[in-house]
Structure formats: C-alpha cells, structure tokens
Amino acid sequence: MPTSEQPAACYVYGIVPADVELTSDARGLADRPVDVVRQGDVAALVSEVDPVVPLGRPADLMAHQRLLDDAARDVPVLPMRFGAVMTDARAVVRELLAPNEAGFRAALAELEGRVEYVVRGRYVERAVLTEVVGENAAAARLREQIRGRGEKEAYEARVRLGELLYRAVEAKRETDTGRLIETVSPYCVLSAVREPTHHLDAAHVAFLVDSARRSEFEDAVGKVGREWEERADLRLQGPIAPYDFVLTPGG
Amino acid sequence: MTVVQPGGGGGSSSGGLADVIDTILDKGLVIDAYVSVSLLGIQLLTIDARIVVASVDTYLQFAEATNRLDLAEKEKPGVPDLVGGILSSVTGGGGKERELPEGAGEEALAAGDEQVLEAAPEPDEAEQPAVRRRNRSREG
C-alpha cells in the first residue's frame, strides 16, 4: 500500500537463518507486514517502505528494534543498523544475500543460542561527587578558594574544580566498568564497552550471553547493582538482538 | 521482560527510545558496506547516537553541584531535591549531548525534539516471537 506513485522499496531489518517462519502478526515500519527473502541457508527480514517518506520517526526506530529483539529470542539474528533500504526483494537476494551467504551463515552459527544484554550504570550525583571530593586534596583546596567568593570572582577556580571532578568521575567510570566486566565475565561469552552517553555514566557495556546462562548472568548483574546501591543506579536492558557483536567488513 | 533496578521498578526488554537510539543508530551491520548499487538514498530523519562532549559549561555544572554538597552538609539530609542537579540540567538542556548527522533532517529534528521522542510508546512484550524457527524437521 504505497502512498506515493513510486514503487515501494524494500527495508531490510536483519539477516536470519533461512529456516525461520513468521507469525501473521509480524509487523515492521509503518505497521507493514514483514516478509522473509531467502537465499540458500540465509534470509533477510524485510518489509515494503515508501521511498519518498523520510525514515526515522520514533515509531520507526521502535518498530525496527522491536522486530529484531523479538526475533532474537528464538533465532540467531544479524541486525542491520537502522535505515537499510534496497530497491526490491530481487536486489536483496542478488546484492546482499548471495554474495555474502557464506559469511552470514558462519556469523549466524556463532550467534546460535546467544543473546545480547546492555548494562548501564548512572552515578548518583551527590554520592559520586562526595566520593571524589573526599579523595582529592586539590579539589578540597579549590573548594576552599571558591567558598564565599562571587561567581565571577571565582570563575577560574570553578572551571578548574569542575574539570578536576569531571576527570575524577571519568577515572571512576573506568574502574567501575572494569569491575562490572570482571564480575559478570564468568557468565558471558564476550563483552564490548560502549561510549558513555552521559557525564555521570558509571558503566555502559554490551554483553553476549549464552541463552542457557541468562539467569546466572542476570543474577551477577543484580549482585553488582546491590553493591553499587546508593552510589549508582544499574539498569539491565535485554535480551536484545546482538547489535554490538556483528561486524561489517572493512568497517 | 528483564530489568534490574536496585530500587525496584520495571521496564521493557527493549528499553526506551533513548536506549533504542544508542543501539540501532550506532551498532549493527551497515548495508552499504555490502551493497552500493541499489541502495536507495531515503532521507533519514534521525539524530545520531548520543555522545558526551566535555566543555566549560560541563565543568561549571560539576562545580555548582559540589556547591550544593555544602548546602546539604549544612542542612543535613532530607532534602531530596538537591539530588540529580546535573542530571536534570544536562538532559534538559538538549543539544549538548546529541550531534546531528551531517546535513540530514535537521528541521525534522528541531521540530521533533525531546517531547516527541518521549511520546514514543514503550514496546509491547509479545506473547510469542513473531519470528521463530520452523519445526526442526530438517533431514540429516
């Protein structure tokens, strides 16, 4: 049901083994039905997309991830980054699946029975600042200098103090990230540290976990969460499709 | 559904829109590394994955936050609204933590902004996977 005069294009969500089946309620972007395009042992999950309507509304993003996370609960998936669109299903076969069939098959075999989790920690501001101020004599001195002086008068000291604290929080993030990985590593296959998305991030790490060890992994994360209570909030997202553990050749 | 939060509470397995943005715009296979011939140049509206950029403003916010520690020490606990100052001021400021992809969809982003982003519904937890293995009756 394209709304424009141009023929519908083909949105690609991800690569799966050819022996998957869809339930009739599998829906993708703009609530379009999802199809499977097969080539040998591998297949792509696709749906029609209107080629003149820009992509990327919140609902589009959520639909992309929902379909793949849902699939990842039952089958290995190589998730595409959001926004992969090809002209039609024939192009998907000829240009994406056929030339890369062996590589996709091998990658899917490695991901069989494995899922991804993402752990994010966020420091409780007051707790972490109290920690770093207490551990840092230079910060304590700067605070003395600033105390009782006007904002403009103490501008340089405030910037210096702020930078000092920022760096100290960065160092804590590195330590705490290492501690998190060390604690849960017996229960995961791989880990990949993500860039922080906030100045008060305590950790941001993706983990690849064998489905059989999910509850042990979740328990281990819960244990770290309890250890960090009061100073950082820990959040576990997953299982999701293994976005952090697929590699694009040359990229 | 699996969300661990020390203070209790829940959430969906896929997380909110911010989590989705960090994941699907920044990770995953990139099709144009495989294909260049028939890839369509559909315009992407989206903002790029979020990144943290330190600046003098950030430093001043940290300094200001320690200033509030002094207050807390004097007034003693029971002042919950002192907590989370940086969190609210940084995330509320917009822009600072997000970078636009070059050229693409800036007006759309400006029009979209946080409210629209936050209006996105949480994903439903499906009863059954919509994509699943066929019954394993493969010979050999």
Side-chain angles (χ1 to χ4, degrees):
Chain A
M1 43 170 181
T3 55
S4 67
E5 286 160 19
Q6 293 191 37
C10 193
Y11 185 92
V12 185
Y13 298 88
I15 311 296
V16 292
D19 66 340
V20 300
E21 61 182 8
L22 298 176
T23 57
S24 57
D25 57 350
R27 286 285 185 277
L29 270 59
D31 213 30
R32 300 263 174 103
V34 176
D35 278 327
V36 185
V37 175
R38 294 183 173 85
Q39 163 66 34
D41 290 337
V42 300
L45 296 176
V46 303
S47 70
E48 284 191 349
V49 66
D50 188 327
V52 300
V53 176
L55 288 175
R57 289 161 302 162
D60 297 336
L61 302 175
M62 301 304 277
H64 176 104
Q65 182 154 22
R66 192 178 311 151
L67 179 77
L68 292 177
D69 289 353
D70 194 24
R73 287 159 57 192
D74 206 54
V75 301
V77 179
L78 307 178
M80 307 296 301
R81 192 170 301 186
F82 181 85
V85 182
M86 300 181 74
T87 43
D88 54 27
R90 278 181 20 233
V92 172
V93 170
R94 279 203 309 245
E95 296 170 37
L96 180 63
L97 297 180
N100 301 291
E101 192 187 335
F104 288 161
R105 192 196 304 125
L108 289 167
E110 281 193 55
L111 292 170
E112 182 77 62
R114 293 171 169 174
V115 291
E116 174 172 329
Y117 286 88
V118 175
V119 178
R120 291 161 184 270
R122 180 70 62 87
Y123 289 120
V124 174
E125 181 187 273
R126 177 155 49 165
V128 73
L129 290 180
T130 303
E131 268 181 45
V132 298
V133 166
E135 293 161 0
N136 196 313
R141 274 198 305 278
L142 282 167
R143 290 182 79 210
E144 281 307 316
Q145 282 180 32
I146 292 166
R147 212 182 295 264
R149 291 167 70 198
E151 279 202 3
K152 278 193 184 137
E153 202 186 343
Y155 180 82
E156 272 185 41
R158 286 167 57 231
V159 172
R160 280 215 307 283
L161 172 63
E163 181 170 9
L164 209 73
L165 299 171
Y166 183 88
R167 302 289 167 217
V169 170
E170 273 185 336
K172 283 210 175 284
R173 176 185 308 139
E174 198 168 315
T175 307
D176 286 328
T177 299
R179 199 165 294 157
L180 167 71
I181 292 174
E182 197 185 309
T183 307
V184 305
S185 63
Y187 314 105
C188 73
V189 182
L190 287 171
S191 63
V193 176
R194 286 184 170 190
E195 289 296 310
T197 58
H198 192 280
H199 307 108
L200 288 175
D201 272 4
H204 193 193
V205 188
F207 295 96
L208 189 67
V209 177
D210 277 326
S211 293
R213 310 203 71 177
R214 275 176 52 183
S215 62
E216 289 170 277
F217 172 81
E218 290 172 12
D219 289 347
V221 174
K223 181 167 161 268
V224 177
R226 283 188 298 279
E227 279 168 15
W228 289 3
E229 207 168 0
E230 309 291 322
R231 65 188 291 266
D233 295 321
L234 207 59
R235 221 152 48 80
L236 178 61
Q237 180 198 354
I240 64 173
Y243 289 89
D244 292 70
F245 301 98
V246 292
L247 293 176
T248 296
Chain B
M1 178 193 296
T2 314
V3 173
V4 174
Q5 280 175 316
S12 68
S13 64
S14 293
L17 190 68
D19 294 338
V20 172
I21 287 170
D22 291 341
T23 299
I24 75 175
L25 296 183
D26 195 38
K27 313 287 177 188
L29 290 179
V30 180
I31 204 168
D32 48 0
Y34 292 101
V35 183
S36 52
V37 186
S38 62
L39 187 68
L40 293 187
I42 293 187
Q43 188 191 16
L44 287 186
L45 285 177
T46 54
I47 57 179
D48 210 339
R50 299 174 303 160
I51 57 166
V52 173
V53 183
S55 66
V56 168
D57 280 349
T58 316
Y59 299 154
L60 289 173
Q61 282 168 4
F62 268 92
E64 176 59 28
T66 54
N67 211 6
R68 288 195 299 271
L69 291 182
D70 288 343
L71 288 177
E73 282 158 17
K74 279 178 209 139
E75 294 172 12
K76 293 295 174 194
V79 194
D81 57 342
L82 288 175
V83 182
I86 287 186
L87 289 189
S88 55
S89 61
V90 171
T91 50
K96 218 162 271 149
E97 290 200 293
R98 294 165 181 214
E99 291 216 330
L100 297 173
E102 271 183 32
E106 292 187 18
E107 310 85 3
L109 175 66
D113 220 0
E114 302 255 337
Q115 280 79 11
V116 177
L117 292 180
E118 280 162 11
E122 292 288 309
D124 299 323
E125 189 77 1
E127 305 257 308
Q128 254 196 338
V131 183
R132 63 186 175 212
R133 267 287 165 52
R134 277 182 194 155
N135 291 336
R136 282 164 216 231
S137 52
R138 281 193 275 175
E139 59 274 25

